[in-house]
Amino acid sequence: MPPRTRCWKYFLVLILVFLILSISIYSSKIINVVFDIEVESSLANLEKQILLIKQQPKIEQTPILESDDYQRLINLSNFTFISISNETCKTFLLVLISSAPKNFKRRKVIRDTWGQNDAKVKTLFMIGSVIQTEIQQSLNYENVLYKDIVQGNFQDSYDNLTYKSVMALKYVTYYCPNAKYILKADDDIFVNMPLIKNYLANDISPYGVANFIQCHLLLNSPIFRGNSSKWSIPDSFFPGESKYPPYCSGAWAIISPDVIFKLYTQSQKTAYLNIEDIFLFVLAGAKYPELNFIDTKPVSLWNNWNVSDLTTGKFDHINFLFGTFEMKEEDLRIAWEYVTKLPVKTSIFDK
């Protein structure tokens, strides 16, 4: 091949590479601009929803429960707390985290990072019972050390997550009714705790509000039947329906105490379903049409999270309260180090 022909081929390859890189960079910028526009629009809508919530009267209520309520947990008639935290619960934000008994390291990471207790925050872990003696002994020691485990006498398993969630509501109802806000969460998520405290105190109210529930809202979720999925439900639930109404993901939800009480009392009257978010927010929640679910999508990174992106500055201008789900322990530490290095905004609406 003549030298001149080879030079032309090299030149064309370089041009092609340049064009591909240019298109890639340009597309990335377009995606980021679209993402920013969506966030701005969602935040504007969120601000309107918050204004309506703040205008609702906060009504203090004395819980009226049936005489055998304490011993019941949905369809269990012999429920009891194996262990409870005796620490004071009169706090601004009570964090209740569903955790598996074996997740010792994960709980330690949360205690060291976003779940730290302080003057405004109290964090507790919700756990069921275990058969293995050595695991129970480790849990006992852990609770002596940290005093933050609430354990019920139902078997801890994936199919019993509904019991665990309702136990959390029971705990608030009986022991922590004076908390201003409750954050119900799984132990594989990240919470931007410095910002969420300012969000609740400054954007919502330092005194608490009524009828408040904010979560990752799921829309048009399909209903699975038969044995097609671990989320399949019997035909007796939602007969003739192919999709669920809008409901909260079980990953996280910020809830006011009055809503906790409503969901708890209705849960005690509802037929058991092992899919906890459907049970709580669709079956029990449907009895209260006045509940206005506020979506956390504008202030979370649910579908956009990649821990490696934190080092690029991609999220520096996004005021997010939550990361995503199924985060690893090291990811939680990296995310915590990231948010604690940034200045804490006084409001999620600050630029």
Side-chain angles (χ1 to χ4, degrees):
M1 184 183 296
R4 183 171 296 178
T5 304
R6 285 200 299 269
C7 288
W8 271 106
K9 285 192 173 184
Y10 290 145
F11 182 68
L12 289 172
V13 170
L14 287 172
I15 291 176
L16 182 61
V17 170
F18 175 77
L19 288 172
I20 291 172
L21 287 174
S22 299
I23 292 171
S24 176
I25 293 170
Y26 183 68
S27 299
S28 177
K29 288 183 177 179
I30 291 176
I31 291 171
N32 287 337
V33 168
V34 171
F35 176 66
D36 288 348
I37 291 173
E38 289 177 350
V39 169
E40 288 295 327
S41 175
S42 298
L43 281 174
N45 183 52
L46 176 60
E47 197 165 15
K48 293 177 183 177
Q49 289 180 290
I50 288 173
L51 182 60
L52 291 175
I53 287 289
K54 292 167 75 171
Q55 291 173 347
Q56 296 187 26
K58 187 169 181 282
I59 302 172
E60 299 294 340
Q61 58 181 344
T62 302
I64 300 175
L65 301 166
E66 296 180 10
S67 59
D68 66 338
D69 182 83
Y70 191 82
Q71 288 78 35
R72 288 192 300 108
L73 191 68
I74 315 175
N75 58 355
L76 301 179
S77 59
N78 62 341
F79 171 78
T80 185
F81 288 104
I82 296 174
S83 67
I84 57 175
S85 172
N86 292 320
E87 302 293 310
T88 177
C89 269
K90 193 172 183 180
T91 186
F92 178 70
L93 176 61
L94 177 65
V95 182
L96 304 179
I97 303 175
S98 291
S99 184
K102 293 181 180 179
N103 289 0
F104 299 105
K105 292 182 179 178
R106 185 171 293 274
R107 290 191 289 275
K108 180 65 166 61
V109 170
I110 291 174
R111 292 183 187 105
D112 291 343
T113 58
W114 66 264
Q116 296 177 27
N117 290 324
D118 61 26
K120 281 192 168 185
V121 178
K122 179 176 177 61
T123 299
L124 298 172
F125 296 95
M126 305 289 117
I127 297 175
S129 69
V130 292
I131 298 173
Q132 301 93 329
T133 304
E134 63 276 12
I135 294 179
Q136 185 59 53
Q137 288 175 344
S138 296
L139 284 170
N140 293 341
Y141 176 75
E142 183 181 359
N143 201 27
V144 168
L145 205 59
Y146 298 106
K147 298 179 176 64
D148 61 2
I149 290 177
V150 175
Q151 189 176 19
N153 66 339
F154 56 88
Q155 183 179 356
D156 197 295
S157 67
Y158 183 81
D159 284 340
N160 284 349
L161 284 177
T162 297
Y163 289 128
K164 189 178 292 187
S165 291
V166 178
M167 180 182 73
L169 306 186
K170 180 188 279 285
Y171 187 81
V172 175
T173 299
Y174 279 92
Y175 296 102
C176 304
N178 294 319
K180 302 299 182 188
Y181 300 94
I182 294 90
L183 170 60
K184 177 189 172 300
D186 290 342
D187 68 358
D188 63 349
I189 70 161
F190 176 75
V191 179
N192 186 348
M193 190 56 74
L195 184 56
I196 206 170
K197 286 190 287 187
N198 284 353
Y199 166 64
L200 294 174
N202 302 329
D203 295 322
I204 308 298
S205 169
Y207 309 107
V209 290
N211 199 36
F212 178 72
I213 179 167
Q214 187 169 11
C215 59
H216 183 87
L217 202 58
L218 299 175
L219 307 173
N220 299 314
S221 296
I223 296 177
F224 297 101
R225 306 286 185 184
N227 297 316
S228 60
S229 166
K230 66 179 180 179
W231 297 292
S232 293
I233 64 171
D235 293 337
S236 57
F237 290 92
F238 311 102
E241 300 293 332
S242 61
K243 292 184 178 180
Y244 290 111
Y247 69 96
C248 292
S249 160
W252 65 68
I254 312 170
I255 312 174
S256 57
D258 62 309
V259 174
I260 290 282
F261 181 66
K262 287 177 180 178
L263 293 177
Y264 171 68
T265 52
Q266 192 56 48
S267 293
Q268 292 285 70
K269 306 171 187 176
T270 302
Y272 185 84
L273 183 68
N274 66 340
I275 307 175
E276 53 115 6
D277 45 10
I278 299 298
F279 178 88
L280 277 185
F281 301 118
V282 181
L283 291 176
K287 302 297 181 181
Y288 301 100
E290 71 273 15
L291 293 184
N292 182 23
F293 296 149
I294 299 178
D295 203 345
T296 57
K297 287 190 186 76
V299 287
S300 72
L301 301 175
W302 181 274
N303 291 321
N304 304 286
W305 179 280
N306 190 324
V307 172
S308 62
D309 288 333
L310 295 177
T311 59
T312 68
K314 178 179 179 180
F315 301 128
D316 286 1
H317 65 297
I318 304 295
N319 296 332
F320 66 91
L321 300 179
F322 299 97
T324 184
F325 58 100
E326 296 183 352
M327 292 186 69
K328 298 176 182 177
E329 291 149 20
E330 185 57 30
D331 293 340
L332 294 175
R333 291 192 184 278
I334 292 171
W336 180 248
E337 184 178 354
Y338 168 77
V339 300
T340 51
K341 282 184 177 179
L342 294 175
V344 182
K345 302 288 181 63
T346 58
S347 164
I348 61 166
F349 303 111
D350 287 348
K351 299 294 184 182

